[in-house]
Amino acid sequence: MQALALTVILCALQLWPAVFGGPHRQQFVLYNHKHSRLMEVQNFQWSNCGPSSNPSVVRSLSLSPDPIVIPGEVTVSVVAATTVALVAPQKMQIILEKRIGDMWLKVPCVDDVGSCTYSDFCATLDSVIPPGQQCPEPLQSYGIPCHCPFRAGTYTLPPSVFYIPNMDLPSFLTNGDYKLQATLSNGDQLEGCLKMAFSLMAQS
């Protein structure tokens, strides 16, 4: 589930074009759309979803401060556990919705950003961090893998500071409230489900 928890953070976590700038400010650029400058992420909330029988759960997840000012630093801590090994292929489905008045509208998948399905998230991890390359800090220091398979067990990322650089949002991600649901599955087996809610503030 650390695959789901930590990488969904990489997605908000997929919303951020350069995510995971670690203590050495290493950046993994996921896309290059440019429209408006992201200034703040605020009102972050999370919860597990799906049946209680899911083998993978997030026990705690914290992002601070609130709001997160960009560029700037964010402190992340995660405790997650899985009772089964997470092996390839791992399918990840992201459903991203934006509040429009009293309604929530689904954000379409455009260039792998938005409400997208990744048929093999293990391959996606390999494309971001090539196999054989050392996992970035602080994952390396805390023994948290960044490639499949993920062994059964409990994984803890203590409060760790990441630098978030200046970044631009694609045109369909504007100011407002968002909610995101990420599910991880292997074949017909649902292995984990995580929901997040947050608000974005951008400047044209």
Side-chain angles (χ1 to χ4, degrees):
M1 185 59 167
Q2 76 282 15
L4 180 58
L6 293 177
T7 55
V8 165
I9 294 172
L10 297 184
C11 288
L13 290 216
Q14 97 134 311
L15 293 179
W16 296 355
V19 195
F20 219 4
H24 301 293
R25 303 192 179 187
Q26 182 178 8
Q27 300 173 22
F28 299 101
V29 179
L30 302 185
Y31 57 85
N32 295 313
H33 292 288
K34 294 184 178 181
H35 180 73
S36 58
R37 179 62 51 87
L38 180 59
M39 305 299 292
E40 288 187 357
V41 179
Q42 59 187 9
N43 303 325
F44 177 79
Q45 301 176 41
W46 71 276
S47 65
N48 290 297
C49 48
S52 59
S53 59
N54 279 353
S56 302
V57 295
V58 176
R59 294 179 177 168
S60 67
L61 171 58
S62 174
L63 300 179
S64 64
D66 187 1
I68 299 167
V69 178
I70 299 172
E73 294 182 337
V74 56
T75 299
V76 180
S77 64
V78 182
V79 178
T82 177
T83 59
V84 300
L86 303 179
V87 299
Q90 286 289 323
K91 177 181 176 181
M92 177 176 280
Q93 182 176 24
I94 301 289
I95 298 176
L96 177 65
E97 296 177 297
K98 181 181 180 180
R99 184 197 297 272
I100 304 294
D102 295 330
M103 300 183 298
W104 287 93
L105 299 183
K106 187 175 180 180
V107 177
C109 182
V110 178
D111 294 337
D112 285 334
V113 178
S115 299
C116 301
T117 297
Y118 307 94
S119 59
D120 186 358
F121 189 69
C122 295
T124 302
L125 285 176
D126 289 345
S127 69
V128 175
I129 307 171
Q133 179 176 310
Q134 193 175 58
C135 293
E137 292 294 346
L139 302 187
Q140 183 73 20
S141 294
Y142 294 115
I144 299 174
C146 54
H147 298 284
C148 298
F150 293 86
R151 293 178 295 178
T154 298
Y155 295 83
T156 301
L157 177 68
S160 302
V161 176
F162 296 86
Y163 178 77
I164 306 298
N166 277 320
M167 59 188 63
D168 295 301
L169 294 176
S171 58
F172 56 87
L173 293 178
T174 55
N175 290 347
D177 300 327
Y178 292 83
K179 58 184 181 181
L180 181 151
Q181 176 176 297
T183 57
L184 198 63
S185 60
N186 191 315
D188 295 331
Q189 176 64 48
L190 178 63
E191 296 188 329
C193 181
L194 186 68
K195 287 183 177 180
M196 298 190 300
F198 49 88
S199 300
L200 300 181
M201 293 188 63
Q203 185 177 62
S204 300

